Amino acid sequence: MDAPTIFFDLDGTLIDSRKDIANSVNLTRADYGLPPSPLDSITGMVGNGVRQLLLRAMPDHADEIAGHCNNRPWCSTGFSGSKSCPKSERL
């Protein structure tokens, strides 16, 4: 018997990972000597994947971003800022 497969959008549905996403973006910005961006600014840039997020966060470095997306250890932040979204416990 085959087990059913369920797909869902975890981020923004069950967890709020805005802080971890912002931390990762700001670590990448620091790699390029750029100052950190505020959480609200980065949150507004999210959508269409990591590459697009970095293009929005660092438009002056577009030529370098493709290689960086493949080399940055995105999990190095430890995801310490993520938390459950309100009401997700009921799911």
Side-chain angles (χ1 to χ4, degrees):
M1 174 183 254
D2 292 333
T5 303
I6 299 171
F7 294 95
F8 59 91
D9 178 16
L10 179 67
D11 186 50
T13 304
L14 298 178
I15 63 167
D16 176 0
S17 60
R18 291 176 294 171
K19 287 182 182 178
D20 287 321
I21 291 170
N23 287 341
S24 294
V25 168
N26 282 327
L27 285 171
T28 303
R29 288 178 58 82
D31 288 348
Y32 287 88
L34 299 171
S37 289
L39 175 66
D40 288 340
S41 290
I42 294 172
T43 299
M45 298 175 195
V46 171
N48 303 107
V50 172
R51 185 175 187 280
Q52 190 60 43
L53 171 60
L54 291 178
L55 287 170
R56 291 174 183 141
M58 305 179 349
D60 294 339
H61 297 278
D63 293 339
E64 304 155 277
I65 287 174
H68 197 87
C69 287
N70 296 326
N71 297 320
R72 180 81 169 101
W74 285 87
C75 294
S76 66
T77 63
F79 301 106
S80 59
S82 294
K83 60 184 180 181
S84 296
C85 286
K87 300 182 184 178
S88 65
E89 293 82 17
R90 293 188 304 172
L91 296 176

PDB file of all heavy atoms in Angstrom, residues 16 20 23 25-26 28-29 31 41 43 54 57 73 75 78 80 82-83 87:
ATOM      1  N   ASP A  16       6.623  31.037  11.644  1.00  0.00           N
ATOM      2  CA  ASP A  16       7.001  32.398  11.295  1.00  0.00           C
ATOM      3  C   ASP A  16       8.523  32.431  11.307  1.00  0.00           C
ATOM      4  O   ASP A  16       9.138  32.430  12.370  1.00  0.00           O
ATOM      5  CB  ASP A  16       6.424  33.379  12.319  1.00  0.00           C
ATOM      6  CG  ASP A  16       6.848  34.811  12.082  1.00  0.00           C
ATOM      7  OD1 ASP A  16       7.600  35.064  11.113  1.00  0.00           O
ATOM      8  OD2 ASP A  16       6.445  35.674  12.867  1.00  0.00           O
ATOM      9  N   ASP A  20      14.692  34.444  10.967  1.00  0.00           N
ATOM     10  CA  ASP A  20      15.760  33.607  10.420  1.00  0.00           C
ATOM     11  C   ASP A  20      16.081  33.973   8.977  1.00  0.00           C
ATOM     12  O   ASP A  20      17.252  33.960   8.580  1.00  0.00           O
ATOM     13  CB  ASP A  20      15.396  32.129  10.528  1.00  0.00           C
ATOM     14  CG  ASP A  20      15.478  31.631  11.962  1.00  0.00           C
ATOM     15  OD1 ASP A  20      16.411  32.037  12.678  1.00  0.00           O
ATOM     16  OD2 ASP A  20      14.609  30.853  12.364  1.00  0.00           O
ATOM     17  N   ASN A  23      18.059  37.155   9.208  1.00  0.00           N
ATOM     18  CA  ASN A  23      19.425  36.871   9.659  1.00  0.00           C
ATOM     19  C   ASN A  23      20.280  36.332   8.519  1.00  0.00           C
ATOM     20  O   ASN A  23      21.438  36.734   8.351  1.00  0.00           O
ATOM     21  CB  ASN A  23      19.419  35.875  10.823  1.00  0.00           C
ATOM     22  CG  ASN A  23      18.937  36.484  12.111  1.00  0.00           C
ATOM     23  OD1 ASN A  23      18.916  37.701  12.283  1.00  0.00           O
ATOM     24  ND2 ASN A  23      18.533  35.634  13.043  1.00  0.00           N
ATOM     25  N   VAL A  25      19.813  36.743   5.249  1.00  0.00           N
ATOM     26  CA  VAL A  25      20.046  37.813   4.279  1.00  0.00           C
ATOM     27  C   VAL A  25      21.108  38.770   4.802  1.00  0.00           C
ATOM     28  O   VAL A  25      22.032  39.163   4.072  1.00  0.00           O
ATOM     29  CB  VAL A  25      18.740  38.567   3.948  1.00  0.00           C
ATOM     30  CG1 VAL A  25      19.019  39.843   3.171  1.00  0.00           C
ATOM     31  CG2 VAL A  25      17.800  37.665   3.173  1.00  0.00           C
ATOM     32  N   ASN A  26      21.023  39.127   6.070  1.00  0.00           N
ATOM     33  CA  ASN A  26      21.986  40.071   6.622  1.00  0.00           C
ATOM     34  C   ASN A  26      23.389  39.475   6.738  1.00  0.00           C
ATOM     35  O   ASN A  26      24.380  40.201   6.594  1.00  0.00           O
ATOM     36  CB  ASN A  26      21.490  40.642   7.944  1.00  0.00           C
ATOM     37  CG  ASN A  26      20.441  41.711   7.707  1.00  0.00           C
ATOM     38  OD1 ASN A  26      20.493  42.443   6.714  1.00  0.00           O
ATOM     39  ND2 ASN A  26      19.477  41.802   8.600  1.00  0.00           N
ATOM     40  N   THR A  28      24.555  37.433   4.514  1.00  0.00           N
ATOM     41  CA  THR A  28      25.004  37.542   3.128  1.00  0.00           C
ATOM     42  C   THR A  28      25.385  38.983   2.807  1.00  0.00           C
ATOM     43  O   THR A  28      26.410  39.231   2.164  1.00  0.00           O
ATOM     44  CB  THR A  28      23.907  37.038   2.165  1.00  0.00           C
ATOM     45  OG1 THR A  28      23.580  35.696   2.516  1.00  0.00           O
ATOM     46  CG2 THR A  28      24.378  37.089   0.726  1.00  0.00           C
ATOM     47  N   ARG A  29      24.583  39.942   3.246  1.00  0.00           N
ATOM     48  CA  ARG A  29      24.918  41.350   3.045  1.00  0.00           C
ATOM     49  C   ARG A  29      26.275  41.673   3.686  1.00  0.00           C
ATOM     50  O   ARG A  29      27.093  42.378   3.103  1.00  0.00           O
ATOM     51  CB  ARG A  29      23.821  42.255   3.603  1.00  0.00           C
ATOM     52  CG  ARG A  29      22.539  42.239   2.763  1.00  0.00           C
ATOM     53  CD  ARG A  29      21.449  43.118   3.362  1.00  0.00           C
ATOM     54  NE  ARG A  29      21.864  44.504   3.507  1.00  0.00           N
ATOM     55  CZ  ARG A  29      21.842  45.410   2.527  1.00  0.00           C
ATOM     56  NH1 ARG A  29      21.404  45.065   1.330  1.00  0.00           N
ATOM     57  NH2 ARG A  29      22.235  46.650   2.759  1.00  0.00           N
ATOM     58  N   ASP A  31      28.743  39.651   4.072  1.00  0.00           N
ATOM     59  CA  ASP A  31      29.782  39.073   3.208  1.00  0.00           C
ATOM     60  C   ASP A  31      30.211  40.046   2.117  1.00  0.00           C
ATOM     61  O   ASP A  31      31.333  39.984   1.621  1.00  0.00           O
ATOM     62  CB  ASP A  31      29.284  37.780   2.541  1.00  0.00           C
ATOM     63  CG  ASP A  31      29.166  36.613   3.502  1.00  0.00           C
ATOM     64  OD1 ASP A  31      29.678  36.702   4.641  1.00  0.00           O
ATOM     65  OD2 ASP A  31      28.547  35.602   3.106  1.00  0.00           O
ATOM     66  N   SER A  41      11.897  45.413   6.083  1.00  0.00           N
ATOM     67  CA  SER A  41      12.322  45.564   4.684  1.00  0.00           C
ATOM     68  C   SER A  41      12.539  44.204   4.037  1.00  0.00           C
ATOM     69  O   SER A  41      12.091  43.956   2.916  1.00  0.00           O
ATOM     70  CB  SER A  41      13.618  46.374   4.597  1.00  0.00           C
ATOM     71  OG  SER A  41      13.390  47.704   4.929  1.00  0.00           O
ATOM     72  N   THR A  43      11.343  41.286   5.002  1.00  0.00           N
ATOM     73  CA  THR A  43      10.063  40.573   4.913  1.00  0.00           C
ATOM     74  C   THR A  43       9.319  40.960   3.643  1.00  0.00           C
ATOM     75  O   THR A  43       8.718  40.108   2.983  1.00  0.00           O
ATOM     76  CB  THR A  43       9.203  40.869   6.160  1.00  0.00           C
ATOM     77  OG1 THR A  43       9.901  40.413   7.318  1.00  0.00           O
ATOM     78  CG2 THR A  43       7.859  40.176   6.079  1.00  0.00           C
ATOM     79  N   LEU A  54      17.669  37.652  -2.692  1.00  0.00           N
ATOM     80  CA  LEU A  54      18.971  38.319  -2.662  1.00  0.00           C
ATOM     81  C   LEU A  54      19.092  39.388  -3.743  1.00  0.00           C
ATOM     82  O   LEU A  54      19.734  40.417  -3.524  1.00  0.00           O
ATOM     83  CB  LEU A  54      20.098  37.290  -2.793  1.00  0.00           C
ATOM     84  CG  LEU A  54      20.268  36.366  -1.595  1.00  0.00           C
ATOM     85  CD1 LEU A  54      21.374  35.358  -1.850  1.00  0.00           C
ATOM     86  CD2 LEU A  54      20.536  37.156  -0.327  1.00  0.00           C
ATOM     87  N   ALA A  57      17.454  42.260  -2.176  1.00  0.00           N
ATOM     88  CA  ALA A  57      18.180  42.772  -1.008  1.00  0.00           C
ATOM     89  C   ALA A  57      19.516  43.408  -1.376  1.00  0.00           C
ATOM     90  O   ALA A  57      20.018  44.249  -0.638  1.00  0.00           O
ATOM     91  CB  ALA A  57      18.408  41.645  -0.005  1.00  0.00           C
ATOM     92  N   PRO A  73      26.126  28.833   3.424  1.00  0.00           N
ATOM     93  CA  PRO A  73      25.503  27.853   4.327  1.00  0.00           C
ATOM     94  C   PRO A  73      24.278  28.460   5.017  1.00  0.00           C
ATOM     95  O   PRO A  73      24.347  28.954   6.121  1.00  0.00           O
ATOM     96  CB  PRO A  73      26.622  27.545   5.321  1.00  0.00           C
ATOM     97  CG  PRO A  73      27.456  28.782   5.335  1.00  0.00           C
ATOM     98  CD  PRO A  73      27.361  29.374   3.940  1.00  0.00           C
ATOM     99  N   CYS A  75      21.837  27.349   6.510  1.00  0.00           N
ATOM    100  CA  CYS A  75      21.381  26.765   7.770  1.00  0.00           C
ATOM    101  C   CYS A  75      22.290  27.115   8.938  1.00  0.00           C
ATOM    102  O   CYS A  75      22.054  26.698  10.056  1.00  0.00           O
ATOM    103  CB  CYS A  75      21.273  25.247   7.638  1.00  0.00           C
ATOM    104  SG  CYS A  75      19.988  24.739   6.495  1.00  0.00           S
ATOM    105  N   GLY A  78      21.055  28.486  12.577  1.00  0.00           N
ATOM    106  CA  GLY A  78      20.431  27.652  13.595  1.00  0.00           C
ATOM    107  C   GLY A  78      18.931  27.824  13.711  1.00  0.00           C
ATOM    108  O   GLY A  78      18.301  27.202  14.537  1.00  0.00           O
ATOM    109  N   SER A  80      17.083  30.017  15.009  1.00  0.00           N
ATOM    110  CA  SER A  80      16.703  30.328  16.386  1.00  0.00           C
ATOM    111  C   SER A  80      15.563  31.334  16.483  1.00  0.00           C
ATOM    112  O   SER A  80      14.970  31.493  17.546  1.00  0.00           O
ATOM    113  CB  SER A  80      17.914  30.874  17.139  1.00  0.00           C
ATOM    114  OG  SER A  80      18.400  32.040  16.495  1.00  0.00           O
ATOM    115  N   SER A  82      12.732  31.304  14.453  1.00  0.00           N
ATOM    116  CA  SER A  82      11.454  30.782  13.971  1.00  0.00           C
ATOM    117  C   SER A  82      10.560  30.368  15.119  1.00  0.00           C
ATOM    118  O   SER A  82      11.033  29.867  16.142  1.00  0.00           O
ATOM    119  CB  SER A  82      11.661  29.592  13.038  1.00  0.00           C
ATOM    120  OG  SER A  82      12.313  29.993  11.859  1.00  0.00           O
ATOM    121  N   LYS A  83       9.261  30.558  14.938  1.00  0.00           N
ATOM    122  CA  LYS A  83       8.293  30.169  15.956  1.00  0.00           C
ATOM    123  C   LYS A  83       7.006  29.743  15.279  1.00  0.00           C
ATOM    124  O   LYS A  83       6.781  30.038  14.106  1.00  0.00           O
ATOM    125  CB  LYS A  83       8.048  31.308  16.925  1.00  0.00           C
ATOM    126  CG  LYS A  83       7.504  32.559  16.255  1.00  0.00           C
ATOM    127  CD  LYS A  83       7.364  33.707  17.226  1.00  0.00           C
ATOM    128  CE  LYS A  83       6.821  34.917  16.471  1.00  0.00           C
ATOM    129  NZ  LYS A  83       6.669  36.068  17.281  1.00  0.00           N
ATOM    130  N   LYS A  87      -2.398  29.991  15.990  1.00  0.00           N
ATOM    131  CA  LYS A  87      -3.441  29.040  15.600  1.00  0.00           C
ATOM    132  C   LYS A  87      -2.906  27.811  14.870  1.00  0.00           C
ATOM    133  O   LYS A  87      -3.674  26.939  14.504  1.00  0.00           O
ATOM    134  CB  LYS A  87      -4.536  29.709  14.774  1.00  0.00           C
ATOM    135  CG  LYS A  87      -5.236  30.834  15.496  1.00  0.00           C
ATOM    136  CD  LYS A  87      -6.319  31.424  14.659  1.00  0.00           C
ATOM    137  CE  LYS A  87      -6.953  32.621  15.372  1.00  0.00           C
ATOM    138  NZ  LYS A  87      -7.964  33.259  14.593  1.00  0.00           N
TER     139      LYS A  87
END
